[in-house]
Amino acid sequence: MRRIAPSAVIVILLALISPAVPATASTPDRLVADWVAPLSTSGRYIVDANGNRFRLKSGNWHGASGTWNGSGDQSDNANHHAGENSNRMPLGLDRAPIADIIAGFAELGLNSVRLPFSNEMIHDNTPVSAVAANPSLAGKTPLQVYDVVVQQLTAAGFAVILNNHTNTTRWCCGLDGNERWNASQSTETWENDWLFMVNRYKTNPRVVGADLYNEVRRDLLDDPNWGLGDQHDWFAASQHLGDRILTEANPNLLIVVEGINWTGIPADGLPHDRPTLTPARTLSHTLVASNKLVYSAHFYDYTGPRHSGATGTGETHDPRYRDLSLEELISELTRQAFFVTGEEGHFTAPLWISEFGIGGREETGVLQRAWFEHFVDQLIRTDADFAYWPLVGWHENRTGNGWALLAWDSAGQRIGLYDGDDWRASAWTRLLNAPSKTGPVEPSTVWKMLSPDHGDFVQSLRMRVAGDWDTGARKAACPDGLRLAGLSHTGNRGLCRSGGPVWSGAYEVVHDESHVSPDWASGYTKYQCAPNFYLIGYSVRGARVSSALCAGTSQSLGSVGRTVWFDRGDNRGGGGGDFASGHYKGQCADDEYAAGIAFTTRVGSSGTPDALYCRRLVP
């Protein structure tokens, strides 16, 4: 969300389920080219049900998550961001008919809308007001208005991505009670609200995604983290909720995980950073459905890799993105986010830049304009998915906030991007018309990591149904359809990949040497799969190997193998990237399957994996 941190906030920092309600408005004619739901992922691309690339060309229709600045009378427009009072609804419904607003989105060339909501909005039963342009909305609750908006957008052909933007119905950001998913509420409430929303729109196939939380950042005392296992662990929270949505509510949704927006205190000499998606390079998500993860990030000219975006109090001497040379900007963007689509690894996923934007007619800054042009070129160069912030705004006599691509005045008169006086129009047209991947997407190898760092990491739905297959141990299993390809010597990490044998449904938990033949690691304890079984998981007690999880196949697998040692260095024979940073790793080659794990508990050893037994896939 575009914002400038209030000075007061910086000073404090430095001091440290019912069915969807049917729409009553008329349903607009289909405006967007047809596509087939549901959406999934294939490598770095989002694809529709026919396997054709579906590039998210999106915008943010904000307002339902709140525009109130947090102080003063909420009925006074002056107390809302940029003087624009959404009245707890998507902005503009008091000024223009909903069909006209949606038609404007189609004119912009969009095919999808990111639709923010707050947890407070879900439970707000106060009827909305100020709906003169849409009288059929009078008397509805904010959630019921949200229902109508979802129905009208999807009836027009748009894909809708639900976005949990804030806890409370007020404008983001700073110390506002919305810093984390559990800043003003429990994690349990957050998860339950998400399951409620997903189930509410489950029968609408064009509701395609769940964007789990917006701009996770520091509160007064604590930073969010990526993998520490505590109540501030954004990796663990998003991983857990993503799996719950897919298993308990709607297996068809894309799960959108945004990087960490800010850590530390914005003051020279004190640690501070904008991590974005950089932690995913060493710890990435593995959902129970390996083709549903989308990563997202936000970029604005006035923020920076280590700049909060503040001006004056709280402003550090770190460069803003607009201060970087083109080469520096590309390097930083790649490091922070674009690597997930530019490289092949366990972290590979579609990248959705779910917020970027800039002022239009009244923006005259040379650096600001240059940044926007360069950033649009980056979206074109990388063929990334995108969502502009925001779509809708207010104007009076063609002046106002100026960031929106479409704006209405109090008399219902619209100005738009293509009215001839908005400098952003040429860049936007260039973005929409640039060459882009279309049509069928060829399948690529899927790499996923297992990280039972703080508990079970069983991503196989079949093994979840099977129950606790090694009581008392921390268990890890690849998503169904993937097989184990690599292990780390220490750190408990594993690497899964697609391709190879098809699991027949049979499995065996191996915790002895009954299947060992030949003795491929003399003097070591070996857990080996039976013939025509292959490794899909493992378990540990502390650091020590506890069992090997083997899946059976009706195919005939090779029986000739080799030992891959990795107790004294890396020994990796395939792709997937560094799945256990800072630890020795072993990995079978692309034409092999993992059939066994060797370890030792002799004096001085802790029973961690020392070797893999790798066999050829083809006899």
Side-chain angles (χ1 to χ4, degrees):
M1 175 182 288
R2 178 205 170 220
R3 81 280 183 267
I4 302 293
S7 297
V9 168
I10 300 300
V11 169
I12 296 175
L13 275 172
L14 294 173
L16 279 142
I17 238 168
S18 64
V21 178
T24 57
S26 60
T27 300
D29 294 332
R30 183 62 56 83
L31 300 174
V32 179
D34 205 19
W35 51 277
V36 182
L39 300 182
S40 299
T41 68
S42 180
R44 57 140 297 169
Y45 297 108
I46 297 171
V47 296
D48 75 359
N50 290 332
N52 294 316
R53 199 276 174 95
F54 185 90
R55 186 185 189 189
L56 292 175
K57 299 179 180 180
S58 321
N60 286 269
W61 192 2
H62 78 296
S65 59
T67 52
W68 180 52
N69 285 326
S71 62
D73 183 358
Q74 292 192 45
S75 65
D76 186 345
N77 295 346
N79 296 324
H80 291 255
H81 177 74
E84 298 176 338
N85 184 354
S86 70
N87 293 292
R88 299 169 293 136
M89 301 177 292
L91 193 68
L93 293 176
D94 59 328
R95 298 187 168 206
I98 186 171
D100 290 356
I101 296 175
I102 293 174
F105 299 165
E107 291 175 25
L108 293 170
L110 304 178
N111 61 16
S112 45
V113 172
R114 183 178 186 242
L115 196 61
F117 69 87
S118 72
N119 299 90
E120 184 179 350
M121 184 211 79
I122 296 173
H123 306 284
D124 186 350
N125 292 318
T126 305
V128 300
S129 58
V131 290
N134 293 275
S136 63
L137 300 179
K140 294 185 181 297
T141 67
L143 180 57
Q144 290 169 339
V145 173
Y146 194 90
D147 293 334
V148 173
V149 170
V150 169
Q151 190 277 333
Q152 293 282 285
L153 283 168
T154 56
F158 289 92
V160 171
I161 297 92
L162 310 176
N163 164 233
N164 188 188
H165 210 70
T166 51
N167 294 181
T168 65
T169 308
R170 60 170 290 184
W171 187 256
C172 161
C173 293
L175 297 179
D176 59 356
N178 298 309
E179 300 89 350
R180 295 189 314 275
W181 63 99
N182 56 1
S184 299
Q185 60 190 9
S186 67
T187 296
E188 180 183 16
T189 296
W190 176 62
E191 291 192 351
N192 289 340
D193 281 352
W194 255 120
L195 294 177
F196 169 81
M197 291 293 280
V198 170
N199 278 306
R200 190 173 185 87
Y201 306 111
K202 183 176 182 178
T203 59
N204 188 335
R206 289 182 181 265
V207 176
V208 299
D211 185 350
L212 301 184
Y213 203 72
N214 181 74
E215 295 185 1
V216 173
R217 60 195 182 275
R218 181 185 176 89
D219 62 14
L220 179 62
L221 298 176
D222 297 297
D223 286 324
N225 67 79
W226 192 282
L228 294 184
D230 59 17
Q231 64 177 344
H232 299 152
D233 185 346
W234 174 230
F235 169 81
S238 53
Q239 171 77 40
H240 187 261
L241 176 57
D243 282 344
R244 285 197 70 189
I245 288 173
L246 293 172
T247 57
E248 299 178 35
N250 188 347
N252 292 323
L253 289 187
L254 296 173
I255 302 299
V256 181
V257 179
E258 186 181 331
I260 293 177
N261 187 260
W262 185 260
T263 60
I265 298 175
D268 290 335
L270 294 176
H272 55 270
D273 192 19
R274 189 179 301 280
T276 322
L277 289 168
T278 53
R281 184 177 286 280
T282 54
L283 179 58
S284 62
H285 292 73
T286 297
L287 300 172
V288 291
S290 59
N291 63 343
K292 291 297 182 180
L293 173 69
V294 174
Y295 278 131
S296 75
H298 296 173
F299 292 101
Y300 292 104
D301 74 277
Y302 61 87
T303 60
R306 300 184 66 247
H307 199 298
S308 69
T311 299
T313 303
E315 182 178 4
T316 67
H317 289 86
D318 305 297
R320 303 173 191 263
Y321 289 112
R322 67 184 179 223
D323 299 323
L324 303 178
S325 69
L326 177 58
E327 293 74 17
E328 291 170 334
L329 178 63
I330 292 173
S331 176
E332 280 299 323
L333 294 176
T334 301
R335 180 186 69 84
Q336 288 187 267
F338 286 83
F339 71 91
V340 303
T341 56
E343 302 174 29
E344 183 185 82
H346 56 82
F347 47 74
T348 300
L351 174 65
W352 188 34
I353 303 301
S354 54
E355 286 188 26
F356 76 105
I358 196 166
R361 292 166 177 79
E362 300 174 42
E363 178 57 77
T364 59
V366 173
L367 291 178
Q368 288 87 333
R369 287 193 175 197
W371 171 86
F372 188 73
E373 298 283 355
H374 291 327
F375 193 77
V376 165
D377 287 341
Q378 174 74 357
L379 295 175
I380 294 171
R381 184 184 307 113
T382 59
D383 198 8
D385 300 73
F386 59 87
Y388 185 88
W389 181 282
L391 288 177
V392 177
W394 289 4
H395 82 95
E396 292 297 333
N397 298 318
R398 305 183 73 82
T399 63
N401 182 12
W403 278 59
L405 298 182
L406 303 170
W408 281 264
D409 67 14
S410 55
Q413 299 299 309
R414 192 192 86 171
I415 59 173
L417 179 69
Y418 288 118
D419 285 352
D421 58 348
D422 195 319
W423 67 272
R424 300 169 298 177
S426 61
W428 184 259
T429 300
R430 188 168 77 252
L431 175 59
L432 291 181
N433 294 339
S436 178
K437 170 67 178 175
T438 60
V441 174
E442 293 298 320
S444 59
T445 302
V446 175
W447 300 97
K448 293 293 179 182
M449 68 182 300
L450 298 177
S451 52
D453 302 7
H454 307 290
D456 286 353
F457 204 81
V458 177
Q459 299 311 101
S460 163
L461 290 173
R462 282 180 170 177
M463 294 312 302
R464 289 190 176 196
V465 171
D468 189 348
W469 44 272
D470 191 354
T471 303
R474 297 199 316 282
K475 297 167 283 295
C478 297
D480 296 334
L482 276 60
R483 70 180 193 273
L484 191 67
L487 284 174
S488 63
H489 174 55
T490 54
N492 302 310
R493 298 283 175 82
L495 179 69
C496 305
R497 63 158 294 159
S498 60
V502 176
W503 187 3
S504 66
Y507 73 91
E508 182 181 10
V509 181
V510 177
H511 44 73
D512 58 36
E513 297 192 337
S514 57
H515 299 306
V516 174
S517 177
D519 186 355
W520 48 272
S522 180
Y524 284 72
T525 302
K526 295 166 285 293
Y527 293 164
Q528 182 177 332
C529 298
N532 295 327
F533 278 68
Y534 58 96
L535 279 169
I536 60 167
Y538 55 95
S539 62
V540 294
R541 296 177 188 273
R544 177 179 174 173
V545 176
S546 178
S547 70
L549 178 63
C550 303
T553 179
S554 58
Q555 301 168 237
S556 180
L557 300 178
S559 59
V560 176
R562 67 186 180 102
T563 305
V564 174
W565 294 97
F566 50 93
D567 57 336
R568 299 180 184 180
D570 274 7
N571 192 359
R572 289 181 280 164
D578 189 346
F579 61 93
S581 180
H583 301 269
Y584 296 150
K585 296 162 284 289
Q587 184 175 336
C588 297
D590 290 345
D591 62 351
E592 296 175 325
Y593 69 96
I597 306 170
F599 62 96
T600 180
T601 55
R602 62 176 177 253
V603 176
S605 299
S606 55
T608 61
D610 292 310
L612 281 172
Y613 186 43
C614 300
R615 283 177 161 174
R616 294 288 299 273
L617 283 166
V618 180

